[in-house]
Amino acid sequence: MELLVMRWRGPLRALAGARIDGYAQQMPVPSLTMVTGMLAAALGYRRGDPRIGALADALQFGVVVHQPGNPLVDFQT
């Protein structure tokens, strides 16, 4: 089994889930599609590339939260 460790740090993060009534739900951890998209972008795959689907099918991941964040509402115009 191959393993890749990614550490994400930053003052703000936006992990938006499904939109209900026009408001995106906040997710505490990234989804499979988010991780797949970041890896695909790092590999230089363009949107619609068939390799992205193969990457998502082969990917298994786990998440460790060392320091949970505090939800924040931001107004954007």
Side-chain angles (χ1 to χ4, degrees):
M1 172 173 65
E2 293 184 41
L3 180 68
L4 170 68
V5 176
M6 297 189 309
R7 287 188 174 208
W8 298 352
R9 292 184 179 175
L12 291 174
R13 65 178 167 87
L15 301 175
R19 288 190 170 268
I20 299 174
D21 295 333
Y23 297 99
Q25 303 300 304
Q26 295 180 10
M27 298 174 57
V29 297
S31 66
L32 174 67
T33 55
M34 290 177 188
V35 174
T36 302
M38 285 188 288
L39 290 174
L43 291 168
Y45 298 170
R46 295 199 176 270
R47 187 176 299 210
D49 190 317
R51 295 177 291 180
I52 297 173
L55 178 62
D57 291 340
L59 185 64
Q60 294 180 357
F61 76 103
V63 176
V64 176
V65 178
H66 292 286
Q67 192 173 17
N70 297 317
L72 166 66
V73 177
D74 185 22
F75 178 74
Q76 297 180 5
T77 57

